[in-house]
Amino acid sequence: MNHFFKLLNFEINRFIKIYASLLAIVIIIQTIGVAVVSNSFVNRANEMMMENRWTQEEFIKSNGKMSFSEFMNSFWFAGPIAIAATALIFYIFLIWYREWYGKNTFIYRLLMLPASRYSIYFAKALAIFLMVLGLVGVQILVLPLENELFKVIVPNALREVLAVKDLIYTNAITMVLIPSTFTQFLLHYSAGLMAVFTLFTAILMERSYRFKGIIFGVLYCAAVLALFSAPLFIAAMLDMGNMLYPMEFLMVEIVLGFIASVCSILIGHQLLTKKVSV
Amino acid sequence: MNKYWKISIIIALTIMTIGAFYTHSAYSSTQLPQFHIKEERGNSELIKNVAISAFYMVDSHGEGVSIEQNKTTYDSEKSFFEQFNRDYARTDSTIKQLQKKYRNFMRGKLNISSFYEDKQLLAFADIDNNTGNGSRSFIFNISVLNKKTGNSTSFKYEIPSPEKYNHIYVEDVQYFGKELKVLTRSYQQNIGGQDVSKYIFDIPNEKLLSKEEVFAGSKTLLEYSLIPNIDPIQPSKYAVFSISEPVYEPEETEAPEPPKPKEKELVVYDLEQNKKLDTIFPKEIQKINTDAIQPYVDGSTAYFAEEADQKVKLTAFNLETGKIDNEITLPIDLKGKYNEMRVVVKDGKFYLLVKNHDMQTANVKIMIADIKTESIVFEGRLAADKNMRQSLRSLELYDIQIK
């Protein structure tokens, strides 16, 4: 356990500079975005009121009030999240490959450690997972602050007041990242963790069998995907779309996801102990 | 410990923010208006079982909402399992109840018009429309569950010459003796008009006994619409059809005008005896605009409601005697120019929900009348905790449900 925690700490520290920059990008671009989107709305409102000699009420009647979700639907909000998400997905690969392609082949030292190979594997998985959650945490933290900034810029009469929760419920990105119920949160992120394990196994296959391993890896990913979507396909093929009740369907998916994850972990561990070549 | 500060921050941040998000009220509370039903007169006990389902829409934000006497529940406030199940059961409480009682029989069966239930059995008849991929077939799926023994029989029947039809769906299912009678509506290929047909199946022998055209819309080019049953699955001897000339909506209608009442004729069909009754509906019922407020059939009674001069008049017409049993007039008395209404008849009571609005006002009124005694037993209004007029205006009413 101690080994595992040290390794986890080590993995986090190795990426912390880039990770901190990602968080900074999210916070800075989004804050600028709120200011830009809100200001342009206020300016447009002022211009239109000047040109048409409208009162505020007349402007609202023809243009509507501004809502914070206008910012949330803009590139200013989605862009930095996409950048951070892409970087973390990329790091799923890099977290393994940097051991081989660093200044010195670090994998030597890593495999020489007295720690269980499971520790190495889970330290990397949990590092990625923790960084994803940290990103989500930062988003949860800054969203109300951004909402406050929006309130400062757009005058009361021109804006629509919505609670943070209501904003999150109407946006496609936040509905996935921070779903409205905790159950859903657990489901989304367990599925994410399963995907990380699957990719790890594919990467270790490549590391073990090199070129042939790429084929194995791709096939393995396809197999997991097929397993996970089997209930849908089987139902469609046998023409019995609604034969499973939603809860049963969910249970089947959870069991399949669990099986896939355990397989990935066991294969990954096996490769890491027996097959991986330095 | 000092060297662990970075990871400690990340873990603490994650647990605190995500934890706060799912537990703290600052995140979980909504600023959407909370509604309640304010009693004005009558017995407030009656409103306890009433739920209004609606859609709340303000500019970019919109979600479903269910309003009870003192409780407002937005879709996003429901637990994950409720949200997850909702799409499947399509909020139809009858189907939900059937699913609870007959879990296995109800698998994959969703269409409410396809069910029939009495004390002994639960029957289901639906048509699979397979019209994709070049092949074409319309297949009846029939299942009957004996509620006492728990045994069920099911069989299929393929409708001949599928090339004639565009699509076919089931409108009503009834059961008499050992015969299952299915009313279907079929849309013809290439020609306009819809045929209403009746298929009679012999359940013990699992075969089709006969097929008969009840109304040949493809020949007469008239529209035959079935007036729905209050409880679509209960035994019902009569089917009431409204026959009218089809109205083709003119294109490019800028301001939607209220549709003009159609010239129409009402016909009662006895499903048990397989014949049309010679019941004659009085003129005053024939001229009621059934597009404005949905009429209903309940056993041998048909209910028609009509709005005029800020009043709603309900007429209970006896299909067997051909006489009007009860009449009751509910005054709306609101200032707004437009009235949108939803009505339900349940257990001898008439529930009326009115949204009255124009540029100046918006009100939602709910009234309950006892049909037998022809008296108003409850009257109330929808109230919101903030921005009353704006909140009510943003509410699009779907229907009223009585538990």
Side-chain angles (χ1 to χ4, degrees), chain A residues 6-277:
Chain A
K6 274 184 183 152
L7 278 167
L8 177 63
N9 187 44
F10 170 74
E11 292 290 354
I12 297 273
N13 280 346
R14 278 213 290 186
F15 195 58
I16 197 78
K17 278 185 192 137
I18 302 174
Y19 183 61
S21 329
L22 287 176
L23 297 185
I25 287 174
V26 170
I27 297 171
I28 293 167
I29 296 186
Q30 287 192 353
T31 311
I32 296 173
V34 175
V36 170
V37 174
S38 309
N39 269 320
S40 79
F41 178 83
V42 174
N43 289 341
R44 203 180 68 213
N46 286 337
E47 264 171 42
M48 287 180 91
M49 284 193 284
M50 287 274 277
E51 270 173 32
N52 303 316
R53 296 168 183 244
W54 277 346
T55 60
Q56 240 172 20
E57 269 181 26
E58 282 170 314
F59 171 79
I60 292 166
K61 206 172 270 174
S62 67
N63 282 273
K65 293 181 179 185
M66 186 188 169
S67 144
F68 187 69
S69 52
E70 233 161 277
F71 156 71
M72 286 177 74
N73 292 328
S74 72
F75 181 76
W76 291 102
F77 179 75
I81 293 180
I83 292 172
T86 318
L88 285 174
I89 291 170
F90 187 65
Y91 196 62
I92 292 178
F93 293 90
L94 203 65
I95 205 170
W96 287 104
Y97 283 103
R98 68 186 297 175
E99 311 292 16
W100 276 271
Y101 298 104
K103 268 182 231 145
N104 38 22
T105 2
F106 197 78
I107 191 72
Y108 262 129
R109 283 164 68 188
L110 211 53
L111 293 179
M112 298 284 263
L113 286 179
S116 145
R117 298 283 156 91
Y118 277 123
S119 297
I120 300 173
Y121 184 91
F122 281 118
K124 286 184 189 301
L126 204 65
I128 299 270
F129 194 58
L130 207 54
M131 286 191 279
V132 171
L133 289 183
L135 188 73
V136 172
V138 165
Q139 187 62 72
I140 292 176
L141 197 66
V142 294
L143 206 58
L145 300 177
E146 290 166 357
N147 196 12
E148 289 306 311
L149 178 64
F150 157 76
K151 285 187 196 163
V152 170
I153 299 173
V154 183
N156 208 350
L158 290 180
R159 72 174 131 88
E160 201 187 292
V161 189
L162 282 175
V164 173
K165 178 189 174 252
D166 303 327
L167 289 168
I168 286 170
Y169 190 69
T170 32
N171 184 280
I173 298 171
T174 46
M175 256 169 74
V176 176
L177 289 183
I178 357 177
S180 60
T181 60
F182 191 61
T183 319
Q184 234 171 326
F185 178 86
L186 289 179
L187 291 174
H188 287 190
Y189 286 92
S190 328
L193 204 53
M194 180 189 83
V196 170
F197 288 142
T198 311
L199 285 177
F200 272 18
T201 300
I203 292 164
L204 287 171
M205 281 175 171
E206 191 278 333
R207 287 290 82 194
S208 305
Y209 302 99
R210 303 295 152 132
F211 184 71
K212 256 193 288 173
I214 298 179
I215 299 165
F216 291 154
V218 170
L219 286 179
Y220 183 73
C221 288
V224 169
L225 200 66
L227 179 73
F228 205 57
S229 47
L232 276 179
F233 281 121
I234 291 172
M237 278 189 323
L238 299 180
D239 195 20
M240 34 187 238
N242 297 315
M243 283 320 267
L244 284 183
Y245 281 108
M247 270 313 121
E248 296 169 343
F249 183 80
L250 188 67
M251 286 306 151
V252 170
E253 286 294 355
I254 289 173
V255 169
L256 289 179
F258 185 75
I259 292 172
S261 300
V262 169
C263 279
S264 294
I265 293 165
L266 290 178
I267 296 172
H269 179 253
Q270 194 68 13
L271 291 171
L272 205 52
T273 9
K274 302 260 163 71
K275 270 285 181 270
V276 97
S277 51

Side-chain angles (χ1 to χ4, degrees), chain A residues 6 9 13 69 133 137 140 144 160-161 165-166 168-170 179 181 184-185 187 242-243 245-248, chain B residues 4 6-7 14 17 21-22 27-28 30-32 59-61 76 80-81 84-85 88 103 106-108:
Chain A
K6 274 184 183 152
N9 187 44
N13 280 346
S69 52
L133 289 183
I140 292 176
E160 201 187 292
V161 189
K165 178 189 174 252
D166 303 327
I168 286 170
Y169 190 69
T170 32
T181 60
Q184 234 171 326
F185 178 86
L187 291 174
N242 297 315
M243 283 320 267
Y245 281 108
M247 270 313 121
E248 296 169 343
Chain B
Y4 292 121
K6 287 169 196 152
I7 189 170
T14 306
T17 50
F21 182 78
Y22 288 108
Y27 280 112
S28 60
T30 172
Q31 278 184 18
L32 299 173
D59 287 334
S60 53
H61 184 95
S76 59
F80 166 67
F81 296 108
F84 196 66
N85 272 318
Y88 186 76
R103 193 173 166 86
M106 290 298 291
R107 249 170 225 288

Side-chain angles (χ1 to χ4, degrees), chain B residues 40-107:
Chain B
E40 286 181 336
R41 69 193 177 94
N43 182 359
S44 64
E45 283 293 308
L46 290 169
I47 204 76
K48 280 205 172 122
N49 300 324
V50 175
I52 300 168
S53 64
F55 193 78
Y56 183 76
M57 181 98 202
V58 175
D59 287 334
S60 53
H61 184 95
E63 62 179 288
V65 59
S66 146
I67 302 164
E68 284 164 61
Q69 189 180 15
N70 286 314
K71 205 173 95 195
T72 303
T73 317
Y74 287 93
D75 282 352
S76 59
E77 292 172 313
K78 289 183 179 155
S79 79
F80 166 67
F81 296 108
E82 282 175 301
Q83 293 185 34
F84 196 66
N85 272 318
R86 185 197 51 199
D87 302 337
Y88 186 76
R90 300 209 181 87
T91 65
D92 198 313
S93 53
T94 314
I95 288 198
K96 269 187 201 156
Q97 276 168 16
L98 288 174
Q99 281 177 348
K100 261 185 209 150
K101 273 201 225 153
Y102 313 105
R103 193 173 166 86
N104 265 321
F105 181 80
M106 290 298 291
R107 249 170 225 288

